[in-house]
Amino acid sequence: MIELIQRKIISLIHGFGLDHFPWEVMYFSLGVTLSVLLIELFFVGWEYSSLKKIVSFDKSTRSDFICWIMDTFNISNVFGFILSFGIFYFLVGLIQKNFGLNLITHVSNPYLQVAIIFLAGDFKNYVRHYAFHKSKSLWELHQFHHSATHFNVLTRQRVHFLDPEISRFFDVMVFVLLGSPLYSYLAVRIFKEAHQLMIHSSFTSDWGWIGKYILVSPAAHRLHHSTEERHYNKNMGNTFIFWDRLFGTYHPAEHVKEIGLPDNQFNKEGYFRDLWKCLKGMVKVIRN
Ligand SMILES: [Zn+2]
Ligand SMILES: [Zn+2]
């Protein structure tokens, strides 16, 4: 375990050094984000574009922007690791080292392999998202994502830095079963990332039958962020909407009056205080 700690600390330190900085992660994020921003601008025009919202820099967008910077420059990863004392990282490392069924090696067709890993990974994301909504303590963290009062492409990155740390437990399940992380496939990564940015953008389309039966549409995810009670805990799918249909959390896309949290306590005192509020809330729930 000590060796694991040392390795992680060294990799994090290198992460900040220019020679080992994960440039590819940064280029990937910058490239996909910029592309989606421009596509959105082309279709919705300047008036409704995320770019205009980012330039206007209101308090909700400010937090989205800071989250995006933290994520793109690998800072949230370091924060998450330090503030969780590396506990999640080590536990997941131990699971990864000691268990591994590597089931994907039994599938010989490489296209089928990608499809299985994609589906399994997305189902894992549905379960993770469901848990973050249904568990009172995890909701204290996830509500930060839901506290955005309007969408711009960067809202996708608006997550508490402990969120991805805890999510490692869900990620490792797929790894243990199949033995291959989804991230090895660049085309899949680009598709998933662009899709996530799009469903947090100014697009409001329900994508017709595709949005009804296959993919989570911008309208479906907007509804997930709605302040209306009948929309709570609906459309929790990440890429595919059929998980919601299968498990009874689907809600057809309809007009959403307002997004955010009812009685929203966020976006008033700044990003760090908001994160602190979530942490305090989580500790309080666990203690009670
Ligand atoms: Zn959610
Ligand atoms: Zn969202």
Side-chain angles (χ1 to χ4, degrees):
M1 188 179 288
I2 299 291
E3 196 192 312
L4 263 170
I5 300 173
Q6 283 173 340
R7 228 185 301 146
K8 178 65 182 174
I9 290 172
I10 288 166
S11 77
L12 286 170
I13 291 167
H14 280 167
F16 279 114
L18 288 178
D19 51 338
H20 288 91
F21 188 84
W23 290 109
E24 70 288 349
V25 176
M26 197 186 83
Y27 290 141
F28 175 82
S29 174
L30 282 174
V32 181
T33 308
L34 201 64
S35 307
V36 175
L37 280 170
L38 293 175
I39 292 169
E40 187 215 47
L41 175 69
F42 179 78
F43 283 103
V44 304
W46 172 253
E47 200 50 36
Y48 300 101
S49 69
S50 294
L51 278 170
K52 191 189 172 199
K53 287 176 197 159
I54 294 165
V55 171
S56 75
F57 218 53
D58 65 82
K59 283 192 171 166
S60 178
T61 312
R62 224 171 284 178
S63 287
D64 298 345
F65 185 73
I66 298 171
C67 285
W68 182 74
I69 293 281
M70 301 262 291
D71 192 58
T72 304
F73 293 92
N74 202 32
I75 305 166
S76 44
N77 192 8
V78 179
F79 255 53
F81 176 77
I82 293 170
L83 287 158
S84 65
F85 306 107
I87 292 167
F88 304 114
Y89 180 83
F90 303 128
L91 287 177
V92 165
L94 281 179
I95 297 171
Q96 234 165 343
K97 227 174 153 186
N98 296 300
F99 305 97
L101 298 172
N102 234 359
L103 293 178
I104 203 69
T105 51
H106 299 289
V107 181
S108 52
N109 186 317
Y111 296 108
L112 196 59
Q113 277 190 354
V114 175
I116 292 171
I117 292 169
F118 196 163
L119 273 175
D122 199 56
F123 178 59
K124 172 265 296 175
N125 283 332
Y126 174 81
V127 174
R128 178 186 54 80
H129 196 178
Y130 190 92
F132 272 85
H133 272 259
K134 294 289 178 170
S135 148
K136 280 185 179 164
S137 53
L138 293 180
W139 169 251
E140 291 295 324
L141 294 182
H142 185 60
Q143 65 172 329
F144 179 63
H145 177 66
H146 282 264
S147 66
T149 51
H150 48 253
F151 275 169
N152 70 79
V153 166
L154 307 186
T155 312
R156 181 260 186 283
Q157 260 85 12
R158 185 191 179 103
V159 286
H160 198 287
F161 52 78
L162 274 186
D163 189 315
E165 281 298 311
I166 294 170
S167 297
R168 286 178 193 276
F169 280 110
F170 295 91
D171 299 339
V172 81
M173 287 194 282
V174 181
F175 192 89
V176 163
L177 278 173
L178 298 174
S180 177
L182 187 67
Y183 302 110
S184 358
Y185 306 98
L186 183 67
V188 175
R189 265 181 72 191
I190 293 175
F191 171 76
K192 277 184 76 74
E193 188 58 25
H195 173 261
Q196 278 300 308
L197 294 168
M198 245 181 255
I199 63 173
H200 290 97
S201 72
S202 300
F203 289 131
T204 52
S205 170
D206 62 9
W207 289 352
W209 65 268
I210 293 179
K212 251 186 193 159
Y213 300 105
I214 304 175
L215 294 175
V216 175
S217 69
H221 196 66
R222 193 170 278 269
L223 186 139
H224 176 70
H225 279 256
S226 166
T227 51
E228 273 183 79
E229 206 172 334
R230 65 203 173 93
H231 295 154
Y232 293 175
N233 304 330
K234 299 291 180 195
N235 299 347
M236 289 194 271
N238 205 257
T239 301
F240 297 119
I241 195 75
F242 45 70
W243 307 122
D244 287 290
R245 285 192 168 269
L246 271 170
F247 300 103
T249 51
Y250 175 73
H251 193 297
E254 60 184 23
H255 177 68
V256 169
K257 285 187 212 145
E258 192 189 6
I259 69 159
L261 295 167
D263 191 24
N264 200 337
Q265 297 299 314
F266 294 86
N267 309 309
K268 289 172 186 154
E269 299 154 294
Y271 168 77
F272 286 103
R273 277 188 182 263
D274 283 354
L275 290 191
W276 179 238
K277 224 177 273 173
C278 295
L279 264 180
K280 265 197 336 201
M282 189 171 80
V283 171
K284 205 174 156 190
V285 171
I286 292 170
R287 277 174 140 185
N288 286 336

